[in-house]
């Protein structure tokens, strides 16, 4: 059974909220890619739509939008998701995860893209 920690970002206020989901709510995320939009009722926001913006697996490897599937892949990166160079021209081989959500993913990052009502109020009501 899938179990995820979901980090919900509200771009209007700049706040983030965490929620742990499992069961049917977690199954709604399985097989989705980074960039897909999902109904917010999976994370407790029934009047909103959320977009998957990224995530990471249990070892902290980030999901990259340009790697297909759920597999792990070593990339030589100059920057971007997974590596921030400390000097100009620096490159490093980094292991990243593909863009599709599977059981290996531990955390999913989503952003609210559409909906009515206050996101913070919806999360305070659940606590």
């Amino acid at each position: 059974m899938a179990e995820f920690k979901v980090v919900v970002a509200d771009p209007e206020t700049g706040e983030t909220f965490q929620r742990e989901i499992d069961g049917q709510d977690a199954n709604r995320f399985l097989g989705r890619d980074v960039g897909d939009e999902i109904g917010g009722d999976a994370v407790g926001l029934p009047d909103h739509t959320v977009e998957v913006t990224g995530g990471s697996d249990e070892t902290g490897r980030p999901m990259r939008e340009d790697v297909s599937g759920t597999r792990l892949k070593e990339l030589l990166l100059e920057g971007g998701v997974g590596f921030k160079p400390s000097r100009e021209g620096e490159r490093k081989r980094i292991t990243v995860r593909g863009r599709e959500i599977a059981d290996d993913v531990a955390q999913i990052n989503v952003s609210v893209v559409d909906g009515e009502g206050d996101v913070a109020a919806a999360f305070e009501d659940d606590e």
Side-chain angles (χ1 to χ4, degrees), residues 3 5 16-17 21 24 26 32 36 51 56-57 68-69 82 92 95 101 116 118 122:
E3 191 173 307
K5 180 179 289 188
T16 58
F17 307 94
I21 61 170
Q24 187 65 26
R32 301 293 184 120
D36 285 354
E51 177 185 4
S56 59
D57 63 8
S68 63
K92 190 173 182 181
T95 303
I101 297 172
E116 296 182 16
D118 187 21

Side-chain angles (χ1 to χ4, degrees), residues 60-64 66-67 71-85 90-98:
R61 294 184 194 109
M63 296 173 68
R64 279 188 65 105
D66 56 349
V67 177
R71 66 181 187 207
L72 293 175
K73 186 171 182 179
E74 284 191 350
L75 300 176
L76 186 62
L77 300 178
E78 294 178 347
V81 175
F83 176 60
K84 295 197 189 295
E90 181 179 13
R91 298 188 308 174
K92 190 173 182 181
R93 187 165 307 279
I94 301 292
T95 303
V96 296
R97 185 160 292 284

Side-chain angles (χ1 to χ4, degrees), residues 31-48:
R32 301 293 184 120
D33 289 342
V34 173
D36 285 354
E37 292 186 2
I38 301 171
D41 49 346
V43 293
L45 299 170
D47 299 332
H48 295 79

Side-chain angles (χ1 to χ4, degrees), residues 5-59:
K5 180 179 289 188
V6 180
V7 179
V8 181
D10 183 7
E12 290 183 8
T13 63
E15 294 180 293
T16 58
F17 307 94
Q18 289 187 4
R19 162 141 317 147
E20 292 197 24
I21 61 170
D22 58 1
Q24 187 65 26
D25 290 334
N27 288 341
R28 293 181 190 175
F29 285 96
L30 291 175
R32 301 293 184 120
D33 289 342
V34 173
D36 285 354
E37 292 186 2
I38 301 171
D41 49 346
V43 293
L45 299 170
D47 299 332
H48 295 79
T49 303
V50 296
E51 177 185 4
V52 177
T53 57
S56 59
D57 63 8
E58 58 277 347
T59 60

